[in-house]
Amino acid sequence: PNAPFGKTRALYNGRMKTKSSSTAIRLALTRQEAAAALGFKNAITLDRLVKRGLLHPSKATRRPLFPVAELERFLRETV
C-alpha cells in the first residue's frame, strides 16, 4: 500500500533496506519518516510537538533530522 519510504525501501528496526539488499544503520530519520515511525498520519503532528518543545530535531543540515535516540526519549518520557 502506501509505504512511508517508497516502493524500494523499508525500515527494519533502525536499518534501511534498499534494492541492493545492503543495510545501513539509520541514526536519524527525516520529518516524514519520524512521523511514520511514531504512528502519526502526517508530519504536522510532529511539527506541533517540535513547536511545543517536546521533540528536538537536529538542525545541522538544511532539513531537520530526528535522531532515533530523540524519538525513543520522547516515547519514554511521555508515557
Side-chain angles (χ1 to χ4, degrees):
N2 293 342
F5 307 110
K7 294 180 182 177
T8 60
R9 299 184 288 174
L11 185 66
Y12 298 105
N13 293 332
R15 296 182 182 268
M16 184 63 75
K17 190 167 178 101
T18 61
K19 268 188 178 179
S20 64
S21 75
S22 65
T23 58
I25 295 173
R26 297 289 306 267
L27 299 177
L29 303 175
T30 64
R31 187 173 157 263
Q32 289 79 15
E33 291 170 340
L38 291 173
F40 302 149
K41 274 189 166 182
N42 55 46
I44 294 171
T45 305
L46 193 70
D47 295 338
R48 290 179 182 145
L49 292 172
V50 170
K51 189 172 182 177
R52 289 174 54 195
L54 296 173
L55 271 176
H56 307 286
S58 169
K59 297 176 185 171
T61 60
R62 290 189 305 153
R63 60 185 174 157
L65 292 175
F66 292 86
V68 172
E70 173 64 11
L71 299 177
E72 291 171 344
R73 181 208 55 84
F74 169 75
L75 292 173
R76 262 193 324 274
E77 292 180 3
T78 57
V79 175

